Amino acid sequence: MKKGNFLKMLIALSVGFVATACNSGAKENETAEEATETVSVKVKQCFEREVEQVEVFTATVEANVVNNISPNLTLRIEELYAEVGDHVHKGQKLADLDASNLVQARLQMLNDSLEFVRNDNLYKVGGISKSEWDAKKLSYDISSTSYRNLLENTVLTSPVSGVVTARNYDRGDMFSMGQPLYVVEEITPVKIVVNASEQLFSHIKKGDKVDVTLDVYGDEVFSGVVSLVYPTVDPQTRTFPVEIKIANTNERVRPGMFARVTYTYGTANHVVVPDMAVVKLTGSGDRFVYVVGADNKVTFKKVELGRRFDTEYEIVSGLNSGDNVVVEGQNRVTNGMEVVVVE
């Protein structure tokens, strides 16, 4: 090889080596810059404040009293005096049934009454023995009881004031044990029974006021009162029944309606955060927030949510007053990452 060609080759190799070294250095610098790049986030400092403690229950409205009205004998129905939807008062006659047995029982009772009066007078003057007097008294008592029993099962009356919600037989039918002849429901007042968690056992008291809304009436609020608090907690569900009454004097609330009961039981100091700070973990019902510490590092904290107020959440546990929570940029941070806080 000629000396000139050899020099040219050395020069070309030197230039290539320098170029490669420069490119490698540039890539290393670029990688280092990427490694030191940090994520920018926005935060909000959150503090405790007094929050009204509210529990919302759902339930179905029930009649205060439900009476299934039937005779306890198999008798033919002679006449019916009420129809479904009718308002009836306590003691009002609803139906007459076959009175043949009732007539016979009445005659027997009247006869035994006369016999007893006659023998009672004789006993007072020593005309009969005590055992004979006892026998006549027993006969009269038995026939009187039989008559009263037949009377109650031949002439049916309503034991409460309310609304007829069912009539299961027609005039002329033979009543048989099964469905009641009439169902009468007392709907002034109505009641709602909810199952409250045991944490509320020391809070809910008889006489407490509650607000009730019904889906059929939208946001209209009805006043309710706690009328009964059951004294024990179910060990399986950790709940206890609470009965609530609504006066319902205008009868707008009807059994079967879907109700939401709102119970307020004081206030508590809890941290409140913007709703955008709360993160739901995929595949879990748990909720988390990212908290930025004094070292600008992110901590992933599990929280227990309370009430929601428009665009804020009450945090029952998991945060401290004064914590800085991430409200923008959560999708680009991980636990322990250092971030840059921007306004």
Side-chain angles (χ1 to χ4, degrees):
M1 182 182 295
K2 293 181 179 181
K3 186 176 181 180
N5 292 337
F6 180 74
L7 289 173
K8 290 179 181 179
M9 183 182 294
L10 286 176
I11 293 170
L13 289 173
S14 298
V15 171
F17 177 78
V18 172
T20 302
C22 289
N23 289 336
S24 177
K27 289 181 179 179
E28 288 178 1
N29 290 336
E30 185 178 340
T31 303
E33 288 176 1
E34 290 177 354
T36 57
E37 182 183 358
T38 54
V39 175
S40 297
V41 297
K42 289 184 179 181
V43 301
K44 180 176 176 58
Q45 191 172 26
C46 300
F47 297 94
E48 282 187 345
R49 72 176 190 229
E50 199 171 69
V51 178
E52 201 171 42
Q53 297 302 289
V54 174
E55 195 76 26
V56 178
F57 308 96
T58 58
T60 300
V61 177
E62 302 175 25
N64 187 45
V65 176
V66 178
N67 277 116
N68 296 311
I69 301 169
S70 301
N72 60 15
L73 301 171
T74 300
L75 298 171
R76 188 171 299 282
I77 299 168
E78 298 289 344
E79 193 62 65
L80 297 171
Y81 299 104
E83 189 50 83
V84 172
D86 287 353
H87 285 71
V88 296
H89 57 79
K90 184 177 181 179
Q92 180 176 330
K93 183 162 73 170
L94 301 178
D96 283 329
L97 283 78
D98 182 15
S100 302
N101 294 334
L102 179 65
V103 172
Q104 293 178 18
R106 182 173 182 275
L107 293 174
Q108 182 65 50
M109 181 191 67
L110 291 175
N111 181 68
D112 289 343
S113 175
L114 292 173
E115 283 292 316
F116 173 69
V117 170
R118 187 181 301 115
N119 282 271
D120 186 54
N121 290 331
L122 288 173
Y123 175 70
K124 288 176 181 177
V125 296
I128 60 172
S129 66
K130 181 67 166 57
S131 61
E132 290 176 304
W133 183 91
D134 288 340
K136 293 299 181 181
K137 178 68 166 60
L138 179 61
S139 295
Y140 174 59
D141 288 344
I142 291 173
S143 60
S144 296
T145 301
S146 177
Y147 172 72
R148 288 195 299 271
N149 180 59
L150 281 169
L151 181 62
E152 290 176 356
N153 287 278
T154 303
V155 180
L156 300 184
T157 61
S158 176
V160 297
S161 296
V163 177
V164 177
T165 57
R167 177 179 65 79
N168 297 310
Y169 294 85
D170 292 320
R171 184 175 57 185
D173 287 347
M174 180 69 74
F175 175 79
S176 59
M177 300 300 175
Q179 289 185 314
L181 199 161
Y182 280 108
V183 177
V184 175
E185 299 187 16
E186 183 182 271
I187 61 172
T188 51
V190 290
K191 67 182 179 182
I192 301 171
V193 180
V194 301
N195 291 314
S197 65
E198 64 178 332
Q199 287 80 8
L200 296 177
F201 192 78
S202 61
H203 294 285
I204 300 179
K205 306 294 182 186
K206 185 176 180 180
D208 286 349
K209 301 291 192 299
V210 299
D211 290 334
V212 181
T213 57
L214 304 158
D215 281 6
V216 68
Y217 294 124
D219 294 331
E220 184 177 354
V221 177
F222 295 80
S223 296
V225 178
V226 174
S227 58
L228 178 64
V229 178
Y230 282 65
T232 57
V233 176
D234 187 325
Q236 301 299 320
T237 62
R238 296 298 175 187
T239 62
F240 62 99
V242 177
E243 185 178 286
I244 295 156
K245 294 281 181 71
I246 300 175
N248 199 33
T249 53
N250 54 15
E251 296 187 355
R252 293 180 66 207
V253 183
R254 294 301 178 102
M257 289 182 173
F258 185 77
R260 288 179 173 83
V261 178
T262 302
Y263 176 69
T264 304
Y265 56 98
T267 60
N269 286 323
H270 285 155
V271 176
V272 176
V273 303
D275 57 1
M276 64 181 68
V278 179
V279 178
K280 182 181 184 298
L281 191 64
T282 304
S284 169
D286 295 333
R287 300 293 190 274
F288 296 82
V289 296
Y290 289 102
V291 176
V292 178
D295 56 359
N296 283 346
K297 289 186 177 180
V298 172
T299 303
F300 199 40
K301 287 191 174 183
K302 181 180 176 181
V303 295
E304 180 185 353
L305 300 184
R307 293 177 61 197
R308 179 168 185 162
F309 318 94
D310 295 327
T311 60
E312 294 180 311
Y313 272 115
E314 171 192 13
I315 303 298
V316 177
S317 64
L319 286 183
N320 298 314
S321 184
D323 279 348
N324 290 306
V325 300
V326 178
V327 295
E328 190 176 313
Q330 299 97 318
N331 60 331
R332 293 180 292 131
V333 298
T334 57
N335 190 43
M337 175 184 286
E338 186 172 344
V339 296
V340 174
V341 177
V342 296
E343 295 297 329

Coordinates of all heavy atoms in Angstrom, one line a residue, residues 182-236:
Y182 N -111.6 -9.9 54.0 CA -111.1 -8.5 53.8 C -109.8 -8.3 54.4 O -109.4 -9.0 55.4 CB -112.1 -7.6 54.5 CG -113.4 -7.2 53.8 CD1 -114.6 -7.7 54.3 CD2 -113.4 -6.4 52.7 CE1 -115.8 -7.4 53.7 CE2 -114.6 -6.1 52.1 CZ -115.8 -6.6 52.6 OH -116.9 -6.3 51.9
V183 N -109.0 -7.3 53.8 CA -107.8 -6.8 54.5 C -108.0 -5.3 54.7 O -108.3 -4.6 53.7 CB -106.6 -7.0 53.6 CG1 -105.3 -6.4 54.3 CG2 -106.3 -8.5 53.4
V184 N -107.9 -4.8 55.9 CA -108.0 -3.4 56.2 C -106.7 -3.0 56.8 O -106.2 -3.6 57.7 CB -109.2 -3.2 57.2 CG1 -109.2 -1.7 57.6 CG2 -110.5 -3.6 56.6
E185 N -106.2 -1.8 56.2 CA -104.9 -1.3 56.7 C -105.1 0.1 57.3 O -105.7 0.9 56.7 CB -103.9 -1.3 55.5 CG -103.6 -2.6 54.9 CD -102.5 -2.6 53.9 OE1 -101.8 -1.6 53.8 OE2 -102.4 -3.6 53.1
E186 N -104.5 0.3 58.4 CA -104.5 1.6 59.0 C -103.3 2.4 58.4 O -102.1 2.0 58.6 CB -104.3 1.5 60.5 CG -104.3 2.8 61.3 CD -104.1 2.6 62.8 OE1 -105.1 2.4 63.5 OE2 -103.0 2.6 63.2
I187 N -103.6 3.5 57.8 CA -102.5 4.3 57.1 C -102.4 5.7 57.6 O -101.7 6.5 57.0 CB -102.8 4.3 55.5 CG1 -104.1 5.0 55.3 CG2 -102.8 2.9 55.0 CD1 -104.3 5.3 53.8
T188 N -103.0 6.0 58.7 CA -102.8 7.2 59.4 C -102.5 6.9 60.9 O -103.4 6.8 61.7 CB -104.0 8.2 59.3 OG1 -105.2 7.5 59.7 CG2 -104.1 8.7 57.9
P189 N -101.2 6.7 61.3 CA -100.0 6.9 60.5 C -99.6 5.7 59.7 O -100.2 4.7 59.7 CB -99.0 7.2 61.6 CG -99.5 6.3 62.7 CD -101.0 6.3 62.7
V190 N -98.5 5.9 58.9 CA -97.8 4.8 58.3 C -96.4 4.7 59.0 O -96.0 5.6 59.7 CB -97.6 5.0 56.8 CG1 -98.9 4.9 56.0 CG2 -96.9 6.4 56.5
K191 N -95.8 3.5 58.7 CA -94.5 3.3 59.3 C -93.4 2.9 58.3 O -93.8 2.3 57.3 CB -94.6 2.3 60.5 CG -94.9 0.9 60.0 CD -95.0 0.0 61.3 CE -95.4 -1.4 60.8 NZ -95.6 -2.3 62.0
I192 N -92.2 3.1 58.7 CA -91.1 2.7 57.9 C -90.1 2.0 58.8 O -89.7 2.5 59.9 CB -90.3 3.8 57.2 CG1 -91.3 4.6 56.3 CG2 -89.2 3.3 56.4 CD1 -90.8 5.9 55.7
V193 N -89.7 0.8 58.5 CA -88.7 0.1 59.3 C -87.4 0.0 58.6 O -87.3 -0.5 57.5 CB -89.2 -1.4 59.7 CG1 -88.2 -2.1 60.6 CG2 -90.5 -1.3 60.4
V194 N -86.3 0.5 59.2 CA -85.0 0.5 58.6 C -84.0 -0.3 59.5 O -84.3 -0.4 60.7 CB -84.4 1.9 58.4 CG1 -85.4 2.7 57.5 CG2 -84.2 2.7 59.7
N195 N -82.9 -0.8 58.9 CA -81.9 -1.5 59.7 C -80.7 -0.6 59.8 O -80.0 -0.3 58.8 CB -81.5 -2.8 59.0 CG -82.7 -3.8 59.1 OD1 -83.3 -4.0 60.1 ND2 -83.0 -4.4 58.0
A196 N -80.4 -0.1 61.0 CA -79.3 0.8 61.2 C -78.1 0.0 61.7 O -78.2 -1.0 62.4 CB -79.7 1.8 62.3
S197 N -76.9 0.5 61.4 CA -75.6 -0.2 61.8 C -75.4 0.0 63.3 O -75.9 1.0 63.9 CB -74.5 0.4 61.0 OG -74.2 1.7 61.3
E198 N -74.7 -0.9 63.9 CA -74.6 -0.9 65.3 C -73.8 0.4 65.8 O -73.9 0.7 66.9 CB -73.9 -2.1 65.8 CG -72.4 -2.3 65.3 CD -71.8 -3.6 65.9 OE1 -72.2 -4.0 67.0 OE2 -70.9 -4.2 65.2
Q199 N -73.0 1.0 64.9 CA -72.3 2.2 65.3 C -73.3 3.3 65.7 O -72.9 4.3 66.4 CB -71.4 2.7 64.1 CG -70.2 1.9 63.9 CD -70.5 0.6 63.1 OE1 -71.6 0.4 62.6 NE2 -69.5 -0.2 63.0
L200 N -74.6 3.2 65.2 CA -75.6 4.3 65.5 C -76.4 3.9 66.7 O -77.3 4.7 67.1 CB -76.5 4.5 64.3 CG -75.8 5.0 63.0 CD1 -76.8 5.1 61.9 CD2 -75.2 6.4 63.3
F201 N -76.1 2.8 67.4 CA -77.0 2.3 68.4 C -77.1 3.3 69.6 O -78.1 3.5 70.2 CB -76.5 1.0 69.0 CG -77.4 0.3 69.9 CD1 -78.5 -0.4 69.4 CD2 -77.3 0.3 71.3 CE1 -79.4 -1.1 70.2 CE2 -78.2 -0.3 72.1 CZ -79.3 -1.0 71.6
S202 N -76.0 4.0 69.9 CA -76.0 5.0 71.0 C -76.5 6.3 70.5 O -76.7 7.2 71.4 CB -74.6 5.1 71.6 OG -73.7 5.6 70.6
H203 N -76.8 6.5 69.2 CA -77.2 7.8 68.7 C -78.7 7.9 68.5 O -79.3 8.9 68.9 CB -76.5 8.1 67.4 CG -75.0 8.3 67.5 ND1 -74.4 9.5 68.0 CD2 -74.0 7.5 67.2 CE1 -73.1 9.3 68.0 NE2 -72.8 8.2 67.5
I204 N -79.3 6.8 68.0 CA -80.7 6.9 67.6 C -81.6 6.7 68.9 O -81.4 5.7 69.6 CB -81.0 5.8 66.5 CG1 -80.2 6.1 65.3 CG2 -82.5 5.8 66.2 CD1 -80.5 5.1 64.2
K205 N -82.5 7.6 69.1 CA -83.4 7.6 70.2 C -84.8 7.7 69.8 O -85.1 8.3 68.8 CB -83.0 8.7 71.2 CG -81.6 8.8 71.7 CD -81.2 7.5 72.5 CE -79.7 7.6 72.9 NZ -79.3 6.4 73.6
K206 N -85.7 7.1 70.6 CA -87.1 7.3 70.4 C -87.5 8.8 70.5 O -87.1 9.5 71.4 CB -87.9 6.5 71.4 CG -89.4 6.5 71.2 CD -90.1 5.6 72.2 CE -91.6 5.6 72.0 NZ -92.3 4.7 73.0
G207 N -88.3 9.3 69.5 CA -88.7 10.7 69.5 C -87.8 11.5 68.6 O -88.2 12.7 68.3
D208 N -86.7 11.0 68.1 CA -85.8 11.7 67.1 C -86.6 12.0 65.8 O -87.4 11.2 65.3 CB -84.6 10.9 66.8 CG -83.6 10.9 67.9 OD1 -83.8 11.6 68.9 OD2 -82.6 10.1 67.8
K209 N -86.3 13.2 65.3 CA -86.9 13.6 64.0 C -86.1 13.2 62.8 O -84.8 13.2 62.9 CB -87.1 15.1 64.0 CG -87.9 15.7 65.1 CD -89.4 15.3 65.0 CE -90.3 16.1 66.0 NZ -89.9 16.0 67.4
V210 N -86.7 12.8 61.8 CA -86.0 12.4 60.5 C -86.8 13.0 59.3 O -87.9 13.4 59.4 CB -86.0 10.8 60.4 CG1 -85.2 10.2 61.5 CG2 -87.4 10.2 60.2
D211 N -86.0 13.1 58.2 CA -86.6 13.6 57.0 C -86.8 12.4 56.1 O -86.0 11.5 55.9 CB -85.7 14.6 56.3 CG -85.7 15.9 57.0 OD1 -86.6 16.2 57.8 OD2 -84.7 16.6 56.9
V212 N -88.0 12.3 55.4 CA -88.3 11.2 54.5 C -88.7 11.8 53.1 O -89.5 12.7 53.0 CB -89.5 10.4 55.0 CG1 -89.8 9.2 54.1 CG2 -89.2 9.9 56.4
T213 N -88.0 11.2 52.1 CA -88.4 11.5 50.7 C -88.9 10.3 50.0 O -88.5 9.2 50.4 CB -87.3 12.1 49.9 OG1 -86.2 11.2 49.9 CG2 -86.8 13.4 50.5
L214 N -89.8 10.4 49.1 CA -90.4 9.3 48.4 C -90.2 9.5 46.9 O -90.4 10.6 46.4 CB -91.9 9.2 48.7 CG -92.3 9.1 50.2 CD1 -93.7 9.6 50.4 CD2 -92.1 7.7 50.7
D215 N -89.8 8.5 46.2 CA -89.5 8.6 44.8 C -90.7 9.2 44.0 O -90.5 10.0 43.1 CB -89.1 7.2 44.2 CG -87.7 6.9 44.5 OD1 -87.0 7.6 45.3 OD2 -87.2 5.9 44.0
V216 N -91.9 8.8 44.4 CA -93.1 9.3 43.7 C -93.3 10.8 43.8 O -93.9 11.4 42.9 CB -94.3 8.5 44.1 CG1 -94.7 8.9 45.6 CG2 -95.5 8.7 43.2
Y217 N -92.7 11.4 44.9 CA -92.9 12.8 45.1 C -91.6 13.6 44.9 O -91.6 14.8 45.3 CB -93.5 13.1 46.5 CG -94.9 12.5 46.7 CD1 -95.2 11.7 47.7 CD2 -95.9 12.9 45.8 CE1 -96.5 11.2 47.9 CE2 -97.2 12.4 46.0 CZ -97.5 11.5 47.0 OH -98.8 11.0 47.2
G218 N -90.6 13.0 44.3 CA -89.4 13.8 44.0 C -88.7 14.2 45.3 O -88.4 13.4 46.2
D219 N -88.3 15.5 45.4 CA -87.5 16.0 46.5 C -88.4 16.5 47.6 O -87.8 17.1 48.6 CB -86.6 17.2 46.0 CG -85.6 16.7 45.0 OD1 -85.2 15.5 45.1 OD2 -85.2 17.5 44.1
E220 N -89.7 16.4 47.6 CA -90.6 16.8 48.7 C -90.2 16.0 49.9 O -90.1 14.8 49.9 CB -92.0 16.6 48.3 CG -93.0 17.1 49.4 CD -94.4 17.0 49.0 OE1 -94.7 16.6 47.8 OE2 -95.3 17.3 49.8
V221 N -90.1 16.8 51.1 CA -89.7 16.1 52.3 C -90.9 16.0 53.2 O -91.6 16.9 53.5 CB -88.6 17.0 53.0 CG1 -88.2 16.4 54.3 CG2 -87.4 17.1 52.1
F222 N -91.0 14.8 53.8 CA -92.0 14.5 54.8 C -91.4 14.3 56.1 O -90.3 13.8 56.2 CB -92.8 13.2 54.4 CG -93.6 13.3 53.1 CD1 -92.9 13.2 51.9 CD2 -94.9 13.6 53.2 CE1 -93.7 13.3 50.7 CE2 -95.7 13.7 52.0 CZ -95.0 13.5 50.8
S223 N -92.0 14.7 57.2 CA -91.5 14.6 58.6 C -91.8 13.3 59.2 O -93.0 12.8 59.1 CB -92.1 15.7 59.4 OG -91.7 17.0 58.9
G224 N -90.8 12.7 59.8 CA -91.0 11.4 60.5 C -90.4 11.5 61.9 O -89.6 12.3 62.2
V225 N -90.9 10.5 62.7 CA -90.4 10.5 64.1 C -90.1 9.0 64.4 O -90.8 8.1 64.0 CB -91.5 10.9 65.1 CG1 -91.0 10.8 66.5 CG2 -91.9 12.4 64.8
V226 N -88.9 8.8 65.1 CA -88.5 7.5 65.5 C -89.5 7.1 66.6 O -89.6 7.7 67.7 CB -87.1 7.5 66.0 CG1 -86.8 6.1 66.6 CG2 -86.1 7.8 64.9
S227 N -90.3 6.0 66.3 CA -91.3 5.5 67.3 C -90.9 4.3 68.1 O -91.4 4.0 69.1 CB -92.6 5.2 66.5 OG -92.4 4.2 65.5
L228 N -89.9 3.6 67.6 CA -89.4 2.4 68.2 C -88.0 2.0 67.8 O -87.7 2.0 66.7 CB -90.3 1.2 67.9 CG -90.0 -0.2 68.5 CD1 -90.2 -0.2 70.0 CD2 -90.9 -1.3 67.9
V229 N -87.2 1.8 68.8 CA -85.8 1.4 68.6 C -85.6 0.0 69.2 O -85.8 -0.2 70.4 CB -84.7 2.3 69.2 CG1 -83.3 1.8 69.0 CG2 -84.9 3.7 68.7
Y230 N -85.3 -1.0 68.4 CA -85.2 -2.4 68.9 C -84.0 -2.5 69.9 O -83.0 -1.9 69.6 CB -85.1 -3.4 67.8 CG -86.5 -3.7 67.1 CD1 -87.1 -2.7 66.4 CD2 -87.0 -4.9 67.2 CE1 -88.3 -2.9 65.8 CE2 -88.3 -5.2 66.6 CZ -88.9 -4.2 65.9 OH -90.1 -4.4 65.3
P231 N -84.2 -3.2 70.9 CA -83.1 -3.2 72.0 C -81.9 -4.1 71.7 O -81.0 -4.1 72.5 CB -83.9 -3.7 73.2 CG -84.9 -4.7 72.6 CD -85.3 -4.0 71.3
T232 N -81.9 -4.9 70.7 CA -80.8 -5.8 70.4 C -80.2 -5.6 69.0 O -80.9 -5.2 68.1 CB -81.2 -7.3 70.6 OG1 -82.2 -7.6 69.8 CG2 -81.6 -7.5 72.1
V233 N -79.0 -6.0 68.8 CA -78.3 -5.9 67.5 C -78.2 -7.4 67.0 O -77.8 -8.3 67.7 CB -76.9 -5.3 67.7 CG1 -76.2 -5.3 66.3 CG2 -77.0 -3.9 68.2
D234 N -78.5 -7.5 65.7 CA -78.4 -8.8 65.0 C -76.9 -9.2 64.9 O -76.2 -8.4 64.3 CB -79.1 -8.7 63.7 CG -79.1 -10.1 63.0 OD1 -78.2 -10.9 63.2 OD2 -80.1 -10.3 62.2
P235 N -76.5 -10.3 65.5 CA -75.0 -10.6 65.4 C -74.6 -11.0 64.0 O -73.4 -11.0 63.8 CB -74.9 -11.8 66.4 CG -76.3 -12.4 66.4 CD -77.2 -11.3 66.3
Q236 N -75.5 -11.3 63.1 CA -75.1 -11.7 61.8 C -74.9 -10.5 60.9 O -73.9 -10.4 60.2 CB -76.2 -12.6 61.2 CG -76.5 -13.9 61.9 CD -75.3 -14.8 62.0 OE1 -74.5 -14.9 61.1 NE2 -75.1 -15.4 63.2

